[in-house]
Amino acid sequence: MPFDLGDTVRLAADCKNAGGTLTDATSVALTITLPDGSTASPAVTNPPGQTGKYTLDYTSTQAGRHAVRWVFTGPASAYTDSFDVREASPPAILSLADAKAHLDITTTTEDDELRGWIEAVTHLVEQFTGVCARGTVVEDHSIQPSGVRELALRRTPVLSLTSAVAILTGGTSYTVGDLDVDTRMGIVRLRSGGRMYGPLRITYTAGRAVIPANITAAAKIILQHLWRTQYGASRALAGIGGGDDFNVTEPIAGFGYAIPNRALQLLEPHRLPPGVA
């Protein structure tokens, strides 16, 4: 499960000799490859507090996948692992409290796993409705040499434009105040009615200031549906919902297994028109 940005991640590795016995190494090197490709090589206490069992607490500074490589000498041994760090504000269509209330979960044991499912459900719902959780989007748009009168942003609905900057040296940038945006469709135009020239790098905020109740209700149903996949046939499922459209082994035509019928019906009033993401 991913860590939050800024969390302390406990890294651990065992050093064993050729016979499989835990052994203190003569030397130990730890290399962490960060998401941007840079590396960190923090000093590891040697010998460790317990024979052959090495640990290091690393404070995360970047979001994304981290690769971890331990190399021991005397005896020669190595171990490779990885961990993920969430972005500072991961998209979440539901709060953890709302999700737990819907699933009748009263303990904190499964909080981290549940947060991961909330993020997954958020992306799933946004396939149908457009962006729900507010976030910053940066897009590059190629524009034909003759220019265009309208430019379609890829993520909708749009809350606000931040900038429209020329990518090439000498290109034309545009002041946000000179632009109009159709927030639902994501269409950008010059208020003057003129043509825009590019290529342009456009930064904007997409999402919803208020997420409609039918969307959050659908998200809860999908979450409940997917949460059931953790439970084997021997586990009682009555406490986390039921019904034909919750059968995780029965696909819905055109949608597969992840979207129950009742969730689709709830999302229908806010379904994206064809060709809009």
Side-chain angles (χ1 to χ4, degrees):
M1 290 176 286
F3 295 87
D4 285 299
L5 184 61
D7 269 354
T8 298
V9 182
R10 174 151 294 183
L11 306 176
D14 292 346
C15 178
K16 298 179 181 180
N17 61 22
T21 302
L22 287 169
T23 306
D24 288 346
T26 302
S27 66
V28 54
L30 171 61
T31 303
I32 304 168
T33 303
L34 280 65
D36 66 358
S38 63
T39 60
S41 299
V44 180
T45 300
N46 192 25
Q50 184 177 349
T51 300
K53 300 186 78 66
Y54 290 82
T55 62
L56 181 123
D57 289 342
Y58 173 77
T59 302
S60 59
T61 59
Q62 292 184 21
R65 172 61 58 89
H66 294 64
V68 179
R69 175 74 173 170
W70 297 80
V71 177
F72 303 98
T73 59
S77 181
Y79 178 70
T80 301
D81 200 0
S82 64
F83 64 91
D84 292 306
V85 177
R86 290 185 175 95
E87 56 190 304
S89 299
I93 197 170
L94 300 171
S95 69
L96 178 62
D98 285 346
K100 292 175 70 172
H102 187 69
L103 297 174
D104 294 324
I105 295 175
T106 57
T107 67
T108 60
T109 305
E110 298 171 306
D111 280 6
D112 284 340
E113 184 176 4
L114 185 54
R115 290 173 65 203
W117 280 108
I118 291 170
E119 291 179 41
V121 168
T122 299
H123 291 297
L124 193 57
V125 169
E126 289 182 346
Q127 289 185 63
F128 296 89
T129 65
V131 185
C132 292
R134 175 193 294 260
T136 299
V137 182
V138 180
E139 293 176 351
D140 290 350
H141 289 261
S142 297
I143 298 176
Q144 60 193 27
S146 59
V148 294
R149 294 190 184 277
E150 295 182 344
L151 186 151
L153 300 177
R154 302 184 187 107
R155 306 296 306 279
T156 60
V158 176
L159 288 170
S160 63
L161 287 175
T162 303
S163 63
V165 180
I167 295 174
L168 302 180
T169 301
T172 302
S173 297
Y174 298 91
T175 302
V176 170
D178 293 335
L179 299 172
D180 174 75
V181 59
D182 180 327
T183 57
R184 179 172 177 269
M185 299 299 293
I187 302 298
V188 178
R189 309 177 185 86
L190 276 171
R191 294 182 184 274
S192 66
R195 290 182 174 272
M196 293 179 287
Y197 299 89
L200 293 174
R201 178 163 294 137
I202 299 183
T203 302
Y204 61 99
T205 301
R208 288 176 164 85
V210 177
I211 301 176
N214 62 302
I215 294 180
T216 56
K220 290 176 182 178
I221 291 171
I222 297 169
L223 175 65
Q224 186 176 32
H225 176 68
L226 295 175
W227 189 251
R228 284 169 55 93
T229 62
Q230 299 184 107
Y231 294 84
S234 62
R235 297 288 297 274
L237 298 176
I240 54 172
D244 291 341
D245 67 350
F246 277 86
N247 190 337
V248 295
T249 65
E250 292 294 330
I252 296 173
F255 295 99
Y257 296 84
I259 309 293
N261 278 315
R262 64 186 70 179
L264 286 175
Q265 291 175 337
L266 283 166
L267 293 174
E268 192 61 36
H270 292 90
R271 285 284 293 272
L272 291 170
V276 177

